[in-house]
Every structure is written in C-alpha cells, then in structure tokens.
Amino acid sequence: MLPQPVTNPVLIFAIAMVVFLVAPLIMARLRIPGIIGFIFAGVIIGPNGLGLLDRDPTIVLLGTVGLLYIIFIAGLEIDLEGFKKYRNRSLTFGTMSFTIPFVLGTIGAYLLGYSVAGAILLGSLLGSHTLLAYPIASRLGIAKNKAVTTSVGGTIMTDTLALLVLAVVAGSTQGELTPDFWFVLVVSLVVYVAGVFIIVPIAAKFFFRTLSSEGTLEFVFVLTVLFVTAYFATVAGLEPIIGAFLAGLALNRFIFEQSPLMNRIKFTGNALFIPFFLLSVGMLMDLRILLSDPSAWTKAVLVVSLVIIGKFLAAWIAGKIYRYSGEEIKLIFGLTIPQAAATLAATLVGFDLGLFDQATVNAIIVMILATCMIGPYTVEKFSRIIAMKEDQKPYEPSLAPERVMVPLANPHTMESLMDLSFIIRGQSPEPLYTLSVAQGGREDSSSRIVEAEKLLGHAVTYAAGAEVPIQMLTRVDTNITSGMIRAMEESRITTTVIGWNGKLSTPQKIFGGVLDQLLERTTQMVLVSMLGHPLNTTKRIVILIPSGFDHKSGYYQSVQVAKKMASQLGATIACFVVKDNIKSYEKSFNEVKPDVKVSITSLESWNEWHNTYKPLLRADDVVIVFSARRGTVAWHPQLERLPRVLAHSGPESFIIVYPRELEDVDTRGTRGTALPKTFLSNSSYEE
C-alpha cells in the first residue's frame, strides 16, 4: 500500500504526469473543456478527496509558477491592435462588463455576511473573465467580427480593474486604508508600471537584436522578465500576478502569435506549469462541505447566478448601444462568461489572506466549472450562425502556382496515387512533387532511406510514361508528419494527395496518427484517398457535401478538383447536399470549369444518406466527401465517422477532401484550454 499522502518526490511527479495525461483525454471524450479535468483531478486525489497527494510546498511552488504563467500568457495574447481599433467600444464594454457583476457581487456577498474587503474581492472575481472560448470564434473565421474584437478589447479593462481591486484589498489587509496607504499605492503603482513599460521593451529590443542566438536563450530571457517583474511587483506592494500581467503586455509586440518562441511559451505552460496550478486549485475544494453545509450551496448558486446576470446585462446593454445583432450579443456573453485565470488567481490570494473560507472557495470552483461549460457552448453555437450569415466566399481563381505533392510509402498503391495526382495536377507547368519520409533515430534508419529512394525511383519511371516531370523529395525525420510538413513548407506545396490503408491506430482517431497530425498542422488542401479500383474505370463521381461548405475559403477549389476529375475520367457527377440550400451549389457548379454533367440532390439528414443512397453506390463509383477540419465552418461529427464507415462498408474507392484554410486552425476550443500539442509518430497512412 502507498503511504498517504505520498511523500516520495519522484512518485509525486509521476502521479501528476499521469493526471496531466489522462484528464484531458477523458474530458475530450466527454466534450468538456480540459481545464475542468485538472481541477476535478485535484479534488479527487487531493487532501480533501482520496488523500493521495497533499498540497505541500512542492505543489504550492509549481502552482504559483503556473498562476503567474497563465496571467502572463493572458497579457501576451491580448490583441492590442484590435483594442486600438475599437478602443471606445472596448473601454465602454469592458467597464460595464466589470462594473455590473462587481456591484451585484459585492452587494450580494455583503448581504450574506462577508466582510467589506471580502465582499469587494468576491465582486471583483465576478467582474473579470478569461477568453477561454476565443479560439472557437477564431477557428470559425469571425475573429475580426466587431463583437469579437469588442470582447477581446474589453478583457484589458476587466482584468486590469480586477487585479487593481485585488491589489487594494490585499494591501488593506496589512493595515488601514489611510491617505498614506493610498499615496504609497498610487505612487508605487505609477512608478512600477512606468518602469515595466520603459525598461522591459528596451531590454527586449536590445536582447532580440544583439544577444538572441538560439531558441533556448530566448525562452530563458522571457522567463527572466516574467519572474523578475513579478517579484518587483511585491516590492512595490502589489500582487505578483499584476507583475506577470504587465510583463505579458510589455512583451506583447515582441513575441508574435505564430512564432516558435510563442509556441515554446504556450507549450511549456500548458504541459507543466498551468496544469499544476489547476491541480492545486482543485485540492482546495472540499466536497464534504458541499454535502454537509447548506450555506456552501447558497454561495455557489449566488455567485453563478450573479455572474450570468451581470455578464449578460453588460453584453445586452453594449449590444443595444452599438446596434449589434441578437447573435452578436449572445456571442459577447459567451466570450465573457468563462471564469478561469484571474478568478482562480484572486481566489487563491483571497483564501491565503483569510478573506474566503472553504465554502467560498468551493462555491467559486463550482462557478468556474459552470461558466467554463456555458461559454464554449454558447460561442460555438452563435459563431456558426454569424459565420453562416456572412457573405459567401466569391469565386476567385487562384493565380498562385498549383504545386501537388504525393507522399509515397506503399509500393502496391503507388501507381493509383500517382494517377490521381496526375489528374489533380492537370496541365500545370509545375512538376509533380513525390515525397518519401524515412523515420530517423532507429537502428534500421539507413535501410529505410534506401527503400525510400528506391520507391521514388519507381515513381519517376512511372511518371515518365505519362510525360509528367517529377521533383523527388526525401526527408529523414523522427516524426513522419514533421517530415511531410517540412517538405510542404520548403517546396510551397498547395495540395497534398495521400493514401490511407483504412486502418486506425486508436478508435479516437479519424484516420490514424500521421494523417490526423497532418490535418491538424497544415492549412493546405489535403486529399486522403483509398483507391480500390483503377480510376480509368470510373463512370460516376458521387460527392457528399455537409451544410455550410460553400462558406469555406477553399470551396471553389474543391469543386474544381472534383470537376477536373470527372472531365478527365469521362464520368458524371452526382452531388448530395446535407441540410442546406442547394441553389448556391447549383450556381457554383455551373460557374466552375470544366463543364461536366452534374445532378444535385438535397438531403434532410445524414441518416437519409446512410439508409437510402449509400446502399445504391456502384462498384465503379468514386465517392468524394467535401470534409472540414475539426471546429471550422461546415465541420460535423459525422465527417469524422465517414472514413471508417466508407472503408468497411462503402465503395471500393473514396476520397476525403479537406480544403485549404486561410489561417492556421486553432484546436484549443475543441479540446479544452490545450495550447500546442505534442505529437505521436505512430503511422497509419499507407506503409
């Protein structure tokens, strides 16, 4: 039996790593934000649960680092340009979004018997918010919508005001709120803030221009700025989280969102520090109090009700002032209702200062759990409605050179993949890029490289018969997907045609490790194919289109690919559109060349396709599914099930088309607060 609580430092860390691995997977299956999984884990294994781990100095230390880290990232991620553009709207809304819940919370808490300081701090908790659901709006292509930019800009106001209230309350616990206290607070605050915004940018500019030589040094510099700034906040009589937030704002313009440095910062925080913080917060919750103390439920119902009422009133008033639509008002509410970063931070400080008892901590954690589920659901629902109401993407033939790449791994399917690539490439003056990736870091790496080059040699010979020029690409990488992506970036590939063997490495995947990673980490068009019969015997191409696909930026390119295939093969096209108006599809199929015979049928549901039309597929049909990357417009859970359905009970040949995306697809909103992911190298594409 293990001693309880565990005291072995290696075992403590091992248990924490198991939790950090398992909790997000379970939450993803339940479609619950991942942040909740770590908090639940802290409740279960903490001192008030199973007692497996104690909230000892190690957990407190790592939790404090995570607390500063999550506030720091909030400062880094704030869109300063969007704030400047909608400055007046953001200031107005941000002030209301903080003030209304703050006043309601303070009055409610005071009436429940809290001290003045405790009531004010509790009110400030309700006024802040965390942009937990922002990645969802970004993925759905409405990040520049005025409602979204207003909400993001308002975050600066709400978080800054909440942290200032926290500083005042924390300072007041050390003594009376005398004129000397306010003078020292204001002077120290002004001097400290001025020092941060003057010294940090100068130091950052000097470092990145003259001293930065490698990624590790850049990362260490950023952490140095974070923790030194946080420490000097305590010297100035402020809370260290204010220093972390200001450090993020000061470095905001030096660290680009898509830069490798930002990736390292987010990755380290999401993988280690932030989970420790959430775990430590969960350890504060005592379920026994919720079960035995009715006042805990009273407080929980109060804070949840007040934050919902306050945030909705702020969104509704701002929407009426600036004439936002009903969907945009609800979108603002969804973006600003989640409570996480600043709320957890202030809760921890309030508990340490003795202003909050255990029942209050429990109530606030219940509020966090509730708002973290309401927010993403609301944003997902109304972002899709807003995206669908926006103007459809116009047909703009691309002037960029079409570069097609074919990753090859299986000699038995090489010829069919090459045939499909010849059709997709058409008469492009660009060569066809053939790629073979050998997995490095293994004992048989040398032999794998030889096999890869041999396979490419066969591809060159086969292409010579069709008079298609070939550009051979060979990559060696410990991660197959990374090798593919590197080749795509270096050769500026626009379309990738890749085969699939119909096997799944895990039931949670769409295709398997390599292909899923490729879709998550690229924006180019990807055609995943499983070809069971020679393409030249195809008589009909059956296209399955999900609702909203005509709003995607790569829609016309997808139509062009399908019509080009039909023209080359002498086949007809039968389109099935699920739960959408077919008039726009009829128009676009007529606009795009070449001309082929097309019929379009409207379906009321996915079940109608499975039960009525799928059984009518012929042996020589090629089914093309216009799919979408997870979380983007037109995505539907059925699209992830279709590949395995088609592979086991469908036609001999099918192609899943993932159109190009204009920007990188951010998956955080679909998988909780997960920032960048680590990637496995298991392969399930054709080998």
Side-chain angles (χ1 to χ4, degrees), residues 15-30:
I15 293 172
M17 291 300 103
V18 171
V19 168
F20 300 163
L21 174 66
V22 174
L25 297 177
I26 296 175
M27 293 299 105
R29 293 296 301 274
L30 298 175

Side-chain angles (χ1 to χ4, degrees), residues 563-576:
K563 294 191 73 174
K564 189 185 294 184
M565 283 186 61
S567 177
Q568 290 288 321
L569 299 174
T572 60
I573 291 179
C575 279
F576 294 90

Side-chain angles (χ1 to χ4, degrees), residues 105 108-115 122 125-126 289-290 293-307 355-368:
Y110 186 74
L111 293 177
L112 276 182
Y114 283 81
S115 65
L122 183 60
L125 295 182
L126 307 186
I289 294 179
L290 280 178
D293 186 359
S295 68
W297 283 108
T298 303
K299 294 174 181 178
V301 172
L302 175 72
V303 294
V304 171
S305 302
L306 291 179
V307 74
L355 298 176
F356 294 157
D357 57 13
Q358 193 73 55
T360 303
V361 173
N362 284 2
I364 293 173
I365 292 177
V366 170
M367 178 192 69
I368 291 170

Side-chain angles (χ1 to χ4, degrees), residues 529-597:
S529 61
M530 184 174 175
L531 305 176
H533 75 272
L535 286 176
N536 58 1
T537 64
T538 302
K539 298 299 181 182
R540 185 177 65 157
I541 293 178
V542 178
I543 304 177
L544 189 58
I545 306 177
S547 174
F549 193 86
D550 57 342
H551 284 67
K552 296 188 71 67
S553 59
Y555 167 62
Y556 282 96
Q557 185 186 12
S558 303
V559 174
Q560 190 174 51
V561 165
K563 294 191 73 174
K564 189 185 294 184
M565 283 186 61
S567 177
Q568 290 288 321
L569 299 174
T572 60
I573 291 179
C575 279
F576 294 90
V577 181
V578 183
K579 299 178 66 175
D580 210 345
N581 191 331
I582 66 173
K583 292 184 178 179
S584 64
Y585 295 97
E586 291 174 340
K587 179 181 177 182
S588 55
F589 270 81
N590 288 331
E591 289 178 349
V592 177
K593 302 296 179 181
D595 294 324
V596 296
K597 184 179 179 181

